Amino acid sequence: MAERTSHRAAPEHTHPDDVPVLAALAALADPVRIQLVRELAGSPEWSRSCGGFDVPVGKAALSHHFAVLRGAGLVEQRDAGPKRVNRLRRAEFDARFPGLLALVLRAEPADGI
Amino acid sequence: MAERTSHRAAPEHTHPDDVPVLAALAALADPVRIQLVRELAGSPEWSRSCGGFDVPVGKAALSHHFAVLRGAGLVEQRDAGPKRVNRLRRAEFDARFPGLLALVLRAEPADGI
DNA sequence: CCGAGTGTTCGATGAAAACCATACACTCCC
DNA sequence: GGGAGTGTATGGTTTTCATCGAACACTCGG
């Protein structure tokens, strides 16, 4: 049959084209998720597992944040052994919401978030 | 002294340059405020008073939403007689967050917000 | 097969935000 | 000055969301 090696349910993804603006904005209007997106943008694709982020929340909340980012078409996930590795959907998301990712990724003038 | 005609406290404004990205995103991540911004964008400047919006909330909540929009550098308000008229800070906001307003103002592909 | 590592799900808790109804302040016009 | 129109402030309710702890699945290596 399929050449699937994992017996685990694949994570549900939403393509950026199916994401309303409101959902995209709401997904990015959170300091933890902004940090995740930024760190993800500074790393090669598929190089970061969910647990490998320096974020001040427990792993339950972290899992929830990744679900939100997936639902907003911002990240794609793939199972790699026991880990789940991530990729920022730069091109696709930027095609749907031009300039939005750039706003989040650029450094802040003063400092803050 | 001053040539002020109103004895009412002028509304506090925040310039877009002083607004963190997170605050801008949070301000726009609300369906009522998105509608306000859109209606405002489709009207001449200073032509709309706060109460003149077709929005499904009471006037207390409406006043709160305008305070949020002011704090995010999105709208400017001025007293005109008993009314308080509004203006969308298009150029200034776009200079600080290029493309963000355009994303909110463009029509949605499918329908939703 | 067992144990360590990783991520998700569940239930509950706490904080933040939206909302309303009321009361108040101000401006204008009669 | 009185009254209608307009917006803000306050207090309290409801909803939403982020978070945690604990329990559960899955993968891999010994």
Side-chain angles (χ1 to χ4, degrees):
Chain A
M1 326 283 207
E3 34 194 304
R4 164 219 280 269
T5 166
S6 167
H7 293 180
R8 188 169 13 172
E12 281 185 20
H13 287 102
T14 306
H15 193 281
D17 288 354
D18 300 328
V19 175
V21 192
L22 182 59
L25 294 172
L28 290 171
D30 178 280
V32 173
R33 290 193 286 265
I34 284 191
Q35 187 177 343
L36 291 177
V37 168
R38 282 181 176 159
E39 287 195 32
L40 217 41
S43 313
E45 302 201 331
W46 309 119
S47 71
R48 309 283 303 264
S49 69
C50 292
F53 291 86
D54 185 23
V55 145
V57 296
K59 61 178 185 172
L62 192 56
S63 180
H64 161 70
H65 283 304
F66 272 107
V68 173
L69 291 176
R70 265 195 332 256
L74 274 161
V75 311
E76 188 178 357
Q77 297 187 314
R78 167 200 300 175
D79 288 338
K83 309 194 163 183
R84 182 161 282 188
V85 289
N86 302 277
R87 171 184 95 86
L88 186 63
R89 306 179 80 161
R90 278 181 176 276
E92 307 136 89
F93 192 85
D94 197 64
R96 169 78 174 93
F97 302 108
L100 184 49
L101 257 182
L103 288 180
V104 174
L105 295 183
R106 71 176 178 184
E108 281 294 290
D111 63 304
I113 304 156
Chain B
M1 321 278 205
E3 32 193 306
R4 164 220 280 268
T5 167
S6 167
H7 294 179
R8 186 167 17 169
E12 282 186 20
H13 286 100
T14 307
H15 193 281
D17 289 355
D18 300 328
V19 175
V21 191
L22 183 58
L25 295 172
L28 290 171
D30 179 281
V32 173
R33 291 193 288 265
I34 283 190
Q35 186 178 343
L36 291 177
V37 168
R38 283 180 176 159
E39 287 194 32
L40 218 39
S43 313
E45 302 200 330
W46 308 120
S47 71
R48 309 285 302 264
S49 69
C50 292
F53 290 85
D54 185 23
V55 146
V57 295
K59 61 176 185 173
L62 191 56
S63 180
H64 161 70
H65 282 304
F66 272 107
V68 173
L69 291 176
R70 266 196 332 255
L74 273 161
V75 313
E76 188 179 358
Q77 297 186 316
R78 165 201 301 173
D79 288 338
K83 308 194 165 186
R84 182 161 283 187
V85 289
N86 303 277
R87 171 184 94 86
L88 186 62
R89 307 178 78 159
R90 277 179 174 276
E92 309 135 88
F93 193 85
D94 197 64
R96 168 78 175 91
F97 302 109
L100 184 49
L101 257 182
L103 288 179
V104 174
L105 295 183
R106 72 177 177 183
E108 280 294 290
D111 62 305
I113 304 154

